[in-house]
Amino acid sequence: MPRDLPARRAVALVLTALLALPTPALAWGRNGHRASARLAESRLTPEARAAARALLDEGESLADASTWADEHSREIPGSGAWHYVNVPIDAPRYDDRHCRDNCVVSRLAEFRRILADPTAPRERRRMALRYVVHLVQDLHQPLHVGDRRDRGGNATQVSLFRDDRTNLHQVWDSGLLRNGYRNERAVADALFDLAREPEARDWTGGAAEDWADESLAAARRAYREPGSNRPIQSGARLGREYQDANLPVVVERLTKAGLRLSEVLNADLAAAGRAKAPARPPARVPAQAPR
Ligand SMILES: [Zn+2]
């Protein structure tokens, strides 16, 4: 249909332009982020669920919100550093000096403050919610914390099965998951199953710094060959042994992220709700309170 041609040509041009853009680094890939957010959403209190729905766009689920920060990172200059912290893998633990006030730990704290503040503009709280979801998850990706002077594995070129154009960071973002599960639904099933295990009861609580320490410990293992314990070097060919040793770690990290995210949102969105309730005059406070 000739009349359609200009429109089609425009669509084709836009698609070509989009394809030409480098893909933003999606920590955990889309399936990992979305599945973990679905687990979190299933554990929200009715109050937090309603508050999240009121903040997000019409029809936007927590899973949709979970990838927003990666999809829009280009539009927010400097925001790339908010998704990770480089902690040397031989450091005993995460320390604020690794963060220098501009990393996933400090940004998560900042976005949580905005989310819990009902006086903050709605637009800001909506963005804060999207970041809180995403950053809790990124903080659980071991190579978003542990670093061996190779940008969290980005500079360590490896192959995983037949994919010989990847690197260790991408293996952890999405390679292991892609080889382990067909689709987002299958990842979500694995997370929901693990969250029902008795051991998962011990996984809630803790602070962002604790979650960073866990990721650091997992990163030390990620940088080693499972059998021999030798450090993985550029050019390493990772296969079945690496996949089988580490996919369970990925599933556990995403499950923990989902469970903790639900706690974070239940707390922060409830705090905002309470603060919004009309303040009652304090009872039995003397007119001249002693100082
Ligand atoms: Zn990210």
Side-chain angles (χ1 to χ4, degrees):
M1 303 273 268
R3 254 200 294 175
D4 284 340
L5 265 180
R8 277 205 210 154
R9 209 166 277 156
V11 169
L13 278 175
V14 169
L15 283 177
T16 312
L18 283 175
L19 288 173
L21 294 171
T23 320
L26 268 167
W28 285 132
R30 194 177 153 76
N31 288 350
H33 273 297
R34 290 184 60 90
S36 181
R38 280 166 64 170
L39 175 61
E41 192 160 42
S42 76
R43 301 205 170 209
L44 291 185
T45 61
E47 184 189 15
R49 190 185 308 269
R53 195 170 299 155
L55 274 181
L56 294 173
D57 283 339
E58 179 87 41
E60 181 182 5
S61 66
L62 221 54
D64 299 331
S66 72
T67 55
W68 185 93
D70 277 338
E71 286 155 5
H72 293 77
S73 63
R74 236 185 291 268
E75 296 150 38
I76 307 167
S79 67
W82 306 354
H83 297 234
Y84 64 91
V85 56
N86 281 337
V87 181
I89 49 167
D90 51 3
R93 64 185 64 82
Y94 164 85
D95 187 289
D96 282 341
R97 76 196 144 82
H98 301 127
C99 184
R100 290 191 234 112
D101 243 358
N102 189 34
C103 79
V104 58
V105 175
S106 64
R107 293 293 171 173
L108 175 58
E110 185 186 325
F111 284 121
R112 286 192 65 180
R113 272 194 298 277
I114 298 169
L115 183 60
D117 174 8
T119 66
R122 181 164 175 252
E123 292 285 311
R124 284 195 79 204
R125 292 189 64 222
R126 175 190 298 142
M127 185 166 118
L129 173 54
R130 289 163 171 163
Y131 266 109
V132 167
V133 174
H134 185 86
L135 296 184
V136 167
Q137 297 175 335
D138 274 4
L139 183 53
H140 281 76
Q141 208 278 47
L143 295 186
H144 273 240
V145 177
D147 173 52
R148 198 182 56 180
R149 292 168 179 260
D150 62 352
R151 297 187 297 120
N154 274 297
T156 298
Q157 304 300 316
V158 298
S159 66
L160 180 65
F161 295 106
R162 271 183 242 165
D163 182 4
D164 53 7
R165 300 180 63 169
T166 188
N167 62 58
L168 198 59
H169 190 94
Q170 282 177 4
V171 164
W172 279 81
D173 270 354
S174 52
L176 294 167
L177 272 180
R178 206 171 26 241
N179 283 294
Y181 299 100
R182 272 191 320 284
N183 51 29
E184 176 192 332
R185 178 63 192 269
V187 179
D189 285 348
L191 270 50
F192 277 76
D193 284 349
L194 185 54
R196 277 191 289 268
E197 294 290 324
E199 61 189 303
R201 280 185 223 129
D202 301 331
W203 291 347
T204 50
E209 291 81 356
D210 304 318
W211 308 336
D213 286 344
E214 289 177 358
S215 280
L216 176 62
R220 288 191 199 110
R221 291 194 301 273
Y223 273 113
R224 296 191 165 273
E225 289 173 11
S228 68
N229 235 15
R230 276 196 301 265
I232 287 171
Q233 309 291 0
S234 263
R237 306 182 67 80
L238 308 179
R240 181 52 57 197
E241 198 180 9
Y242 194 86
Q243 171 78 26
D244 289 350
N246 290 299
L247 182 62
V249 181
V250 168
V251 170
E252 187 180 309
R253 297 306 291 150
L254 285 170
T255 303
K256 285 179 172 171
L259 294 174
R260 290 158 179 177
L261 177 60
S262 67
E263 284 199 308
V264 161
L265 297 182
N266 285 338
D268 293 355
L269 292 168
R274 271 197 304 278
K276 208 157 43 179
R280 262 179 292 167
R284 287 189 296 172
V285 171
Q288 290 287 314
R291 285 172 190 257

